[in-house]
Amino acid sequence: MTVENRTEKHIRKKKRRKKRYLLRFILFVLACVGIYFALHIDYFTVDGITVAGNKEITDAEIVALSEIKTGDNIFDVHPWFAQRRIKKNLYVESVNVNRKLPNKIEILVTERSGKAQFAMGGKFVITDNGGKVLELAKEERKATLVDGVKVTKAEPGKDIEVKDTGIYEKAMALIAATEENDLYFKRIKITGNDMEGYVYDGLVCKGKYDHVMQCIESGALKAVIFDLYQKGVESGVINISSNNYCSFTP
């Protein structure tokens, strides 16, 4: 075979190879287009978004934060990005967004609860049990209002700063104890060693701080409050002294 023939054969092989590559590329593009259109038929259109695990934040707020909408294609929903958007709300501790084929989205939320609130300049500073500021609210929330603590600084996402840290720490320990023992005070006030805790607007517990804490942790205060609740009593004074002793005055 002459050099010229070998050169021509090599050129023909190269051309055939290019044609095969071009054909493969065209087939690949057609396959991608086919898959795209197959995945974007109405069968995969989101027609339901469920939210679970939330109490502090409404379903509507969470869905709005996610920016997921009914009518979206389920494969255009990117869970990681939706999760990051939802976590911008400080009440959200963790969140999982799941696609439920063919057309459902599930959002599972774990929240931080607002446990305490403090009045500051016409607003209410809402914190979790660790003192992290969750919200500066215009109105009271369902969290224990702590009287007598002056807030010096409160920024969402950061720890609250207060003037009297001793009273603040006592208040937060008391709120944590009530939560652990299935109790709730609407409002508490600590002055030195004395404290007042309002179960209702008209029903107040009074006593030394240490005595009240012992009564909460022993379950004695819960038993008294539950007894009054069964009797329909919502006003009066529960006086708490040493040895878990409680007396009620209408």
Side-chain angles (χ1 to χ4, degrees):
M1 182 180 292
T2 65
V3 174
E4 185 179 348
N5 289 338
R6 283 200 299 269
T7 302
E8 289 179 359
K9 186 175 181 181
H10 177 73
I11 292 171
R12 286 197 298 270
K13 284 183 178 180
K14 195 172 181 179
K15 287 182 179 180
R16 285 197 296 269
R17 208 162 34 238
K18 285 183 178 180
K19 288 181 179 179
R20 285 199 298 270
Y21 289 149
L22 179 61
L23 180 60
R24 288 175 183 173
F25 177 74
I26 293 170
L27 291 173
F28 174 76
V29 171
L30 290 174
C32 289
V33 171
I35 291 170
Y36 176 85
F37 282 107
L39 296 179
H40 283 74
I41 60 175
D42 289 344
Y43 184 68
F44 296 112
T45 297
V46 175
D47 69 0
I49 305 170
T50 60
V51 181
N54 55 311
K55 291 182 181 178
E56 303 286 342
I57 321 167
T58 66
D59 291 4
E61 287 176 306
I62 291 171
V63 172
L65 283 168
S66 75
E67 297 183 12
I68 302 171
K69 301 177 181 65
T70 55
D72 289 346
N73 182 273
I74 198 167
F75 295 106
D76 290 336
V77 173
H78 302 288
W80 187 80
F81 290 108
Q83 287 163 189
R84 288 198 65 181
R85 290 191 289 267
I86 294 169
K87 288 192 73 174
K88 289 180 180 178
N89 188 304
L90 293 174
Y91 281 101
V92 178
E93 183 173 0
S94 64
V95 59
N96 286 310
V97 175
N98 302 310
R99 298 188 189 105
K100 297 291 183 179
L101 295 175
N103 53 14
K104 307 293 182 186
I105 298 293
E106 178 185 69
I107 303 175
L108 302 176
V109 177
T110 300
E111 291 180 324
R112 297 182 181 93
S113 294
K115 300 302 181 184
Q117 58 184 328
F118 306 82
M120 184 187 75
K123 292 185 178 181
F124 295 92
V125 181
I126 316 300
T127 75
D128 63 11
N129 267 343
K132 182 176 182 177
V133 178
L134 302 179
E135 181 184 8
L136 299 179
K138 294 181 180 179
E139 299 178 350
E140 285 190 42
R141 299 294 192 228
K142 189 178 179 182
T144 301
L145 177 63
V146 181
D147 286 339
V149 173
K150 183 177 180 180
V151 179
T152 57
K153 189 175 182 180
E155 295 182 24
K158 297 183 178 180
D159 289 343
I160 190 172
E161 295 181 19
V162 300
K163 185 175 182 180
D164 192 331
T165 56
I167 293 176
Y168 166 77
E169 288 171 0
K170 282 185 175 181
M172 298 305 286
L174 182 70
I175 292 169
T178 57
E179 183 182 16
E180 290 171 5
N181 291 275
D182 198 25
L183 288 173
Y184 171 72
F185 287 133
K186 292 184 66 177
R187 179 162 62 92
I188 60 175
K189 183 177 182 179
I190 300 173
T191 308
N193 292 322
D194 298 319
M195 73 82 58
E196 297 178 0
Y198 287 80
V199 181
Y200 308 113
D201 290 333
L203 181 61
V204 58
C205 302
K206 292 184 177 183
K208 298 295 182 184
Y209 177 84
D210 290 343
H211 295 162
V212 174
M213 285 290 283
Q214 290 169 4
C215 209
I216 291 171
E217 291 168 352
S218 70
L221 182 57
K222 180 179 178 180
V224 171
I225 293 174
F226 183 68
D227 181 62
L228 294 174
Y229 169 77
Q230 287 186 313
K231 294 175 180 177
V233 177
E234 294 187 2
S235 62
V237 179
I238 302 171
N239 292 291
I240 302 169
S241 56
S242 58
N243 298 319
N244 296 322
Y245 181 76
C246 301
S247 62
F248 175 70
T249 303

